[in-house]
Amino acid sequence: MTRRMKLDLSIILQKATKLVDEKGLDQLSLGSLAEELQIRPPSLYNHINGLNGLKQKLALDGVKKLNEYMLQAAVGRSGDDAIRSVSEAYIQFVRIHPGLYDATTRFPDANDKELQQAQESIVQLVLQVLQAYNLQEEIAIHMVRGLRSILHGFTSIEQMGGFGMPLDINKSFSILINTFIEGIHTVVSNEDEYLQGE
Amino acid sequence: MTRRMKLDLSIILQKATKLVDEKGLDQLSLGSLAEELQIRPPSLYNHINGLNGLKQKLALDGVKKLNEYMLQAAVGRSGDDAIRSVSEAYIQFVRIHPGLYDATTRFPDANDKELQQAQESIVQLVLQVLQAYNLQEEIAIHMVRGLRSILHGFTSIEQMGGFGMPLDINKSFSILINTFIEGIHTVVSNEDEYLQGE
DNA sequence: CTATTTTTACTAATTGAATTAGTTTTTACA
DNA sequence: TGTAAAAACTAATTCAATTAGTAAAAATAG
């Protein structure tokens, strides 16, 4: 006598997130999702625009959640400390939600205004964090791209099991972040050379 | 009277590479590949182990090619110069072979001895490059992971069209690499603190 | 050269998943 | 309580991968 769970988009995304985080994004199918939800696959079309539409909704949801997560990590901190904290949050998020994160990188809908806004929000957050260094506006944006590359690259490789050597992965991460931070400090002192490309 | 092209694995990989680089890895299908090769899809099974086997062969091929590419870029250079050159080669390779590169990160066969060897070869190459800095062995490996994260992260985001702002992407890249290099220089001077995690 | 074996391509059939069409049930609420 | 909208269903379609079994072609042994 299980009462039928009331189905709506948020329930669907919740179950889909669980599935992709546990089995991987490529294992997500309308069949498996429908089974989890105890409905038939076609019923899902009343809520989502097919499998691809679902993945795009996951991508949006993932970016929003990542943004919140990083925001929490940034409050009350500044400078090096803020960079480390935000970076730590990023890697933690990906570890908790590998499949959801994967969706954010593989199925972002370039036309989705809400998604663009969430992405922009992350950029702004990191720009805030970098304010402490008084970088020139343009350099600051390059640095945002740099940090994002580092975070995405490291987490992606970790998720694919790409770090083969028997060496503490967390140490690799903190050294990477610290190396980048030290680099920023140096760049701050020689900004003009870097802008023109020396 | 077109003579039937003699089909073998290398021809198949060649055409498959062309397809994935032009249309994207997810668009690769045995149907489209067979059509290009003017055979029927089942015939492919005489050469490859299904679609997944094909993707794994692409992954192996991609890593080997990337390795060669980086090797070429490294010869005759050392230190900062070598890091820049190898990094430049990496990003160039991904720009030339986006689909093939994608395969190397999404379909590596963890049990393939040949693949492991090719991957190891890249690690060794970068370790060679880092010798110039006289880093402690352990730190050096962390740095290899760091550089790899940077290169994979940056190229992945570029490929997904993730850098939205209207700012020169090549400049972002060179600043990122230079920042990392500056970071290494600083780390060299304070190695012990970094090893223990300060 | 010819016969045999192996390789490679083929057709036909199967499977599995997404999707669409069209219908029925349920729910909301006037 | 009746009606409209929402949401679920069954049935059918499509498309791609794969498998089974057969035929053609090529390599090779005698």
Side-chain angles (χ1 to χ4, degrees):
Chain A
M1 289 314 111
T2 56
R3 156 136 78 265
R4 176 156 48 201
M5 160 166 37
K6 190 172 53 185
L7 192 63
D8 67 359
L9 185 59
S10 90
I11 305 271
I12 290 176
L13 288 181
Q14 189 178 307
K15 270 278 190 284
T17 298
K18 183 167 171 290
L19 282 178
V20 297
D21 285 340
E22 287 172 359
K23 312 282 185 182
L25 184 56
D26 289 321
Q27 296 310 305
L28 177 64
S29 71
L30 295 184
S32 59
L33 178 58
E35 190 175 23
E36 278 280 323
L37 296 166
Q38 309 199 295
I39 58 173
R40 304 296 159 150
S43 307
L44 288 166
Y45 286 77
N46 286 314
H47 304 277
I48 56 169
N49 191 9
L51 182 59
N52 256 310
L54 172 60
K55 288 172 176 171
Q56 291 181 351
K57 287 214 187 297
L58 282 176
L60 170 61
D61 203 46
V63 173
K64 282 184 183 173
K65 289 211 168 87
L66 174 59
N67 181 31
E68 288 167 26
Y69 215 80
M70 293 173 77
L71 204 54
Q72 288 303 320
V75 298
R77 297 173 193 269
S78 70
D80 297 356
D81 190 35
I83 293 185
R84 289 198 193 91
S85 180
V86 163
S87 299
E88 199 58 46
Y90 195 105
I91 197 175
Q92 272 184 36
F93 180 83
V94 179
R95 285 172 177 171
I96 296 171
H97 291 298
L100 187 63
Y101 179 76
D102 206 10
T104 68
T105 69
R106 286 175 51 198
F107 297 97
D109 175 5
N111 297 67
D112 187 332
K113 201 77 184 93
E114 208 180 347
L115 176 72
Q116 289 169 351
Q117 188 183 317
Q119 287 171 154
E120 176 63 19
S121 177
I122 294 181
V123 172
Q124 288 305 320
L125 167 63
V126 179
L127 276 175
Q128 294 277 338
V129 166
L130 293 181
Q131 293 240 325
Y133 302 91
N134 289 307
L135 294 161
Q136 292 177 31
E137 178 73 10
E138 186 183 326
I139 292 265
I141 297 180
H142 289 303
M143 289 300 177
V144 170
R145 288 180 170 177
L147 182 57
R148 187 174 162 210
S149 297
I150 287 172
L151 297 175
H152 172 64
F154 191 93
T155 55
S156 295
I157 296 174
E158 179 183 27
Q159 287 307 314
M160 72 175 75
F163 294 132
M165 307 225 152
L167 234 180
D168 186 343
I169 289 185
N170 291 313
K171 189 172 287 182
S172 295
F173 187 66
S174 81
I175 288 178
L176 173 56
I177 298 301
N178 284 328
T179 303
F180 182 67
I181 289 173
E182 294 294 358
I184 293 179
H185 287 303
T186 305
V187 170
V188 169
S189 323
N190 310 71
E191 251 183 326
D192 295 325
E193 296 164 27
Y194 282 92
L195 246 190
Q196 51 175 60
E198 97 241 55
Chain B
M1 284 310 113
T2 56
R3 155 134 81 266
R4 176 157 46 200
M5 158 165 41
K6 191 171 55 186
L7 192 63
D8 69 357
L9 186 57
S10 89
I11 305 269
I12 289 177
L13 288 181
Q14 190 178 307
K15 271 277 190 286
T17 297
K18 182 167 173 287
L19 282 178
V20 298
D21 285 341
E22 287 173 358
K23 313 282 185 183
L25 184 56
D26 290 321
Q27 296 311 305
L28 177 65
S29 70
L30 296 184
S32 60
L33 178 58
E35 191 175 22
E36 278 281 323
L37 295 165
Q38 309 199 295
I39 57 173
R40 303 298 158 148
S43 307
L44 289 166
Y45 285 78
N46 288 312
H47 305 276
I48 55 170
N49 191 7
L51 183 58
N52 257 310
L54 172 61
K55 287 173 178 172
Q56 291 181 351
K57 288 216 186 298
L58 282 176
L60 170 60
D61 203 47
V63 173
K64 282 183 183 172
K65 288 212 169 87
L66 174 59
N67 181 30
E68 287 166 27
Y69 215 79
M70 293 173 77
L71 204 53
Q72 288 303 321
V75 298
R77 297 173 192 269
S78 69
D80 298 357
D81 190 36
I83 293 185
R84 287 198 195 90
S85 180
V86 163
S87 299
E88 199 57 47
Y90 195 105
I91 196 175
Q92 272 184 35
F93 180 84
V94 178
R95 284 173 179 171
I96 296 170
H97 291 298
L100 188 63
Y101 178 77
D102 206 11
T104 68
T105 68
R106 285 175 54 197
F107 297 97
D109 174 6
N111 297 67
D112 187 331
K113 200 77 182 92
E114 209 181 347
L115 176 72
Q116 288 169 352
Q117 188 183 316
Q119 286 170 156
E120 176 63 17
S121 177
I122 294 182
V123 171
Q124 289 304 321
L125 167 63
V126 180
L127 276 175
Q128 295 276 339
V129 166
L130 292 182
Q131 293 237 326
Y133 301 91
N134 289 306
L135 294 161
Q136 291 178 30
E137 178 72 11
E138 185 183 327
I139 291 265
I141 298 180
H142 288 304
M143 288 302 176
V144 171
R145 287 181 172 178
L147 182 57
R148 186 174 163 210
S149 297
I150 287 173
L151 297 175
H152 172 64
F154 190 92
T155 55
S156 296
I157 296 173
E158 180 184 27
Q159 287 306 316
M160 74 176 73
F163 294 132
M165 307 225 154
L167 233 181
D168 186 342
I169 289 185
N170 292 314
K171 189 171 287 181
S172 294
F173 187 67
S174 80
I175 288 178
L176 174 55
I177 298 300
N178 284 328
T179 303
F180 181 66
I181 289 174
E182 295 293 358
I184 293 179
H185 286 302
T186 304
V187 170
V188 169
S189 325
N190 310 72
E191 252 183 326
D192 296 326
E193 294 164 28
Y194 283 92
L195 246 189
Q196 52 175 58
E198 101 239 62

